[in-house]
Amino acid sequence: MGRFARVAPPLPVSGLFTYEVPEELRDRVVPGVRVLVPFGARRLAATCVGVDDTPPPAGVAVKPLLRLLEDEPLVGPDVLQLTAWVATSTGCSWGEALDAALPPAVKSGRPSRTVEEIVLLKDPRLVRPQVDELQARREKQARALRILAERGGALPMRELMNLAHVSRSPLESLVRGGHCTLRSVRASHDPLLGQSVPRTQPLVLTDAQRDCKERITAALRRAMAAGPGGAGGARAFLLFGVTGSGKTEVYLQTLAECVAAGRQGIVLVPEISLTPQTVRRFRERFERVAVLHSHLTDAERADQWRRIRRGEADVVVGARSAVFAPLPRLGLVVLDEEHETTFKQQNVPRYHAREVAIERARLAGAVVILGTATPSLEAWHAAQDGGLQLLQLHERVGGGRTPEIVVVDLSLERRRGGAFSFITDPLRAAMDDALSRDGQVLLFLNRRGWSPVMLCGRCRQPLRCPNCSVSMTMHRRALRVICHYCGTERPPPIQCPACAGPLHPLGYGTEKVEEEVRQGFLHASVARMDSDTMSGRGSHEQALSDFAEGRTRVLIGTQMIAKGLDFPNVLLVGVICADSALFLPDYRAAERTFQLLAQVVGRTGRGPRGGRVVVQAFDPRHVAIRCGVAQDYEAFAQHELPLRQELGYPPFSRLVRLVVHADEEPDARARAELLTDLLRGAALDGVTVLGPAPAPIARINKQWRWHSVIKCVNDGAVSAVLGKLEGQTGPGKRARVLVDVDPVGML
Ligand code: ADP
Ligand code: ZN
């Protein structure tokens, strides 16, 4: 009870704001409740983070808060503390961190049971003339209309806004223009929600699995005895086990121990792996499972969240933000595929779910398991250091044979002359062989579209996006060139816009691979899985079940097919170009290439017939490729870590990246220089300021970008940098600043 409430508004402001609590609300305004407050000329819903009786300094006027929005606190004491930590460690305000911890419909307090859909009024196959007509003057509408038609003619508004990179207004224009209409549907995207699933029994663990389970449960018992925040030994484990080594079974059985002891668990998986099959494995073992992910409607998400808050779920399965799930008695947090970059949120608050999970477990007196077949070098280094306890599963359950590896040097293939194709002779022969034995084939290429560059034969310049400093990707089926950064698209020009020379598609994307495979293997059923083909409702599920049941023989895809597919009949995995991402300007390029390759290679050799992998690369001797193909993590780490140490990159330092955006390049540059001067002037201990320089992609969406990277030798140096930047990074008239602590990308 108190006269004054400290309130954290969900805005980029520093500090807390004080409001007087009206007499009649004094016993109900407690930390964690949501309140409505006057804020400047606005009224704002915000979270109360504390109450007390200390009056503000004399002369400071305090306004009364307007109203209590919910009777119960929405945020418990642990999540309150956790979000405070997120705010300080990522450099955002407490209110912004709290904002990320609550689902939208919970915040607004009026969950809508329906989804608003936009529906095409014509047969989707007949809208091309309208698209072309809109193209010249209403580019965004044209783009949205085309995408809507491609996805079958009906999509939730929000999904189309995302897919087409547009705001609401072009879509409303399509409705006004008579192309589309809006409707409300009572839809759920989770076919398993509310459905009961037959229970399965725990498997008899292998010795290695049992050893892992015992060490984790021992830590769990110590943690529970010590209580929240208490000491008591190792609390965070790195479970390093090749794919198929039975990590999930270890999660399931340690969770069962946790639940039996009256505690609860969170399982975090990358959004892309959050499929009904994944959720099902947990529902088969636990009665009370809640799911939190982006395919739920707002109302469903709010329902799940409230169930969790009431203590009605023993296990929560979810993507990144489920790390904030309001479980009252948390005992265990599992984060699967620890190395995945999607655990890092790309907008404010820019937190990494792995770090938040560890902090949350510390606050709750819980244990964390980070599982992966290819640990991030940060986690691996922490395991060497003792910061994480290392658990290893060396072998696949039930064996499985190591696949036969064939490496194809693309630079030799290219030099050989004649018509060059990314379906090289050795790959073609291996495909013939696999298909003739009734096996299935996965072909992997991490680039969608037909070809990534349209090059002018005369001036040798690529066709560039008008808004970004990148080249446009040709998409043949859509008959468009598309910018993968801002979404701008147009019919492919016939001539180079600069010199009217002829444009030639250069390089390969998944679409082109698909076409060549269709032409070269007339009797095989072929499917493609990438974000162009896979955003219709249930399309991902459909493609996977077609493959699982053998209706598709050759599946071509981007990283969507690199993860978690477990099909015994895959006799061949072909990697079209293993080094396509190796030369990106990012110190993690080798690590990424290694991880992806090791994951893809793990997709075969699962059945009794073994398997084969054909890896094509321009530089097949590169260590990331050699080790990736051999799935030899430790050899890769041994090679890569000394290089990182020499250059002072993570895990031997932490980075803070500043990116400044502006309409005019000199404004971006000036602001970036101002900030780096400020930091250099402060001469902070253990801090090295690099740059500023134009970002590797110097312009995106009409915004010029300058960046600077700040190396910090330890956590203290990071705090010092964030402290120095506090109040200096707010939106200016001409430039906007983005602060990214521990960035996962450098473009
Ligand atoms: P991971 O999560 O490491 O990829 P999974 O837990 O999915 O591995 O296990 C791979 C396969 O092995 C699954 O089909 C699983 O049911 C099976 N499996 C796991 N542990 C055992 C065990 N102890 N005995 C028999 N089969 C097991
Ligand atoms: Zn663009």
Side-chain angles (χ1 to χ4, degrees), residues 203-206 209 242-249 281 397:
L203 302 172
V204 178
L205 296 182
T206 63
Q209 283 174 315
V242 295
T243 28
S245 61
K247 296 187 292 297
T248 307
E249 191 62 32
R281 288 187 76 177
V397 178

Side-chain angles (χ1 to χ4, degrees), residues 382-398:
Q384 311 299 310
D385 250 15
L388 294 173
Q389 296 279 305
L390 182 62
L391 301 172
Q392 268 181 282
L393 292 173
H394 294 282
E395 277 155 26
R396 281 184 182 178
V397 178

Side-chain angles (χ1 to χ4, degrees), residues 60 102 163 192 266 289 355 358 411 532 556 600 605 610 650 667 701 745:
V60 178
L102 297 171
L163 286 169
L192 279 178
I266 300 179
V289 175
E355 308 311 315
I358 292 172
S411 58
D532 292 322
I556 297 154
V600 180
D667 293 331
N701 222 346

Side-chain angles (χ1 to χ4, degrees), residues 13 117 121 189 243 410 437 614 636 648 728:
V13 289
E117 273 195 346
L121 289 172
H189 295 219
T243 28
L410 289 174
R437 292 192 294 137
V614 175
F636 175 72
Q728 305 294 322

Side-chain angles (χ1 to χ4, degrees), residues 465-470 472 483-488 700-701:
C465 172
N467 306 325
C468 309
S469 52
V470 298
M472 304 280 274
C483 169
H484 286 183
Y485 286 84
C486 71
T488 293
I700 294 182
N701 222 346

